[in-house]
Amino acid sequence: MPYANIRGVRLYYELVGDSLSRNTVVLLNGIMASSASWKPLLRPLVTAGYRVLLHDFRGQLRSEKPDKPWDFSEHAEDLQCLMDHTGIVQAHLAGISYGGEAALDAAASFPSRVTSVTAITAAAASDILQTAALNSWTEAAETLRGSEFFTAMIPYIYSPGYIRTHRDLLSRKSRAMERMGKEYFRGQQLLYRSYLTQHFFHTLSRISCPALVVGAEYDALKPLKCSQAIAREIPGSEYVVIPACGHGVLQEKPRELLTIILGFLVKHAR
């Protein structure tokens, strides 16, 4: 497995696709996910001619979990250094939730490195609802019981319709979470603390590259008002809402999301 020592932290990463492609896409994970969560989109993007970089954030599944908490802005710094490590001068960034926020922070902080940015079900400032969710997830993570942790997450991540029609799948995922070790749950708690240090909303107006903001109609964790606020702040941004979908767009509507992202990328390809 490829790892890189980035700013003193060992990060897991993958770089796939045509090394001669003029367009690289960086896919940035949601807070509870890992690079594996992008599987529904990865092969179609590579087939379409894109080179794709994925990595687990510091604190996530296969990357190192630092001993001390970090500021959310560390992720943008890590990404810039990982791009240097892999020889990527400029890339399209696309992230979901926590990853969407990291993408926006990077686009505002390092504009010369970003060709375009796509933020999916993101929020540029935490509110009472998200803080309450993170507090409940932290308590669940402290138990080290994967099924309790996953159960606490379900109402925030999935739409009621998806929960109703995918009970068996969610039950299997709950049982699979029991295999997660102590380090995973420690990393999650560090990531939640990092999320609450976000302070980049006031920098969104600096984003000068093409920007796409994607919301989900039934997002309980980061409602449409969050994505709408982001879209209003970024000059010339495009805004799309995926209907009948909860926060977990990659699980609920992967085909629709792929269509949206590919259409945007094709329009702004180098």
Side-chain angles (χ1 to χ4, degrees):
M1 291 186 180
Y3 285 88
N5 191 315
I6 302 296
R7 303 174 62 243
V9 178
R10 194 164 177 258
L11 298 185
Y12 172 86
Y13 75 95
E14 300 175 33
L15 184 58
V16 297
D18 184 359
S19 61
L20 299 179
S21 175
R22 297 188 64 210
N23 289 279
T24 298
V25 182
V26 178
L27 299 176
L28 300 167
N29 315 324
I31 199 167
M32 292 180 181
S34 72
S35 54
S37 66
W38 290 101
K39 185 177 179 180
L41 272 63
L42 181 57
R43 185 50 50 192
L45 286 171
V46 170
T47 300
Y50 294 93
R51 196 179 190 200
V52 183
L53 174 66
L54 312 95
H55 76 288
D56 287 357
F57 290 122
R58 56 172 64 207
Q60 282 191 325
L61 187 62
R62 283 168 289 191
S63 288
E64 188 177 355
K65 286 77 176 167
D67 293 330
K68 297 179 181 179
W70 59 86
D71 188 272
F72 185 81
S73 63
E74 298 285 336
H75 294 306
E77 296 279 355
D78 288 348
L79 175 58
Q80 182 175 224
C81 292
L82 182 60
M83 289 173 66
D84 290 340
H85 177 82
T86 53
I88 297 169
V89 176
Q90 193 176 65
H92 303 271
L93 308 184
I96 188 164
S97 192
Y98 190 87
E101 293 140 15
L104 292 169
D105 194 17
S109 301
F110 311 114
S112 65
R113 309 298 299 272
V114 182
T115 310
S116 74
V117 61
T118 299
I120 307 149
T121 59
S126 57
D127 61 13
I128 294 174
L129 172 63
Q130 291 149 29
T131 301
L134 292 178
N135 287 338
S136 69
W137 297 348
T138 298
E139 291 175 6
E142 288 172 347
T143 71
L144 303 182
R145 291 194 287 269
S147 60
E148 285 190 18
F149 175 76
F150 188 74
T151 299
M153 176 192 74
I154 287 175
Y156 294 99
I157 302 300
Y158 303 104
S159 66
Y162 187 86
I163 294 171
R164 188 167 54 250
T165 57
H166 291 78
R167 294 187 186 279
D168 290 345
L169 174 62
L170 295 177
S171 179
R172 290 196 298 273
K173 286 189 174 185
S174 178
R175 292 193 297 271
M177 285 298 297
E178 290 291 342
R179 297 195 293 269
M180 292 299 184
K182 182 178 179 180
E183 280 298 291
Y184 171 80
F185 294 107
R186 187 176 73 85
Q188 284 296 299
Q189 293 174 67
L190 289 167
L191 287 159
Y192 304 155
R193 292 177 68 175
S194 167
Y195 177 81
L196 296 175
T197 67
Q198 286 188 22
H199 48 76
F200 66 88
F201 183 81
H202 68 283
T203 69
L204 292 175
S205 60
R206 300 179 195 167
I207 295 177
S208 56
C209 66
L212 171 64
V213 182
V214 181
E217 183 180 11
Y218 299 147
D219 192 339
L221 181 64
K222 298 176 182 178
L224 291 179
K225 65 178 182 180
C226 298
S227 53
Q228 290 166 351
I230 292 171
R232 283 195 300 269
E233 289 295 312
I234 302 175
S237 65
E238 299 180 37
Y239 182 61
V240 177
V241 174
I242 299 178
C245 185
H247 186 71
V249 180
L250 268 174
Q251 291 77 41
E252 294 196 30
K253 302 279 187 176
R255 291 182 180 179
E256 291 85 342
L257 183 59
L258 174 63
T259 299
I260 291 168
I261 290 177
L262 267 178
F264 182 72
L265 289 174
V266 168
K267 186 162 51 174
H268 299 290
R270 294 178 64 191

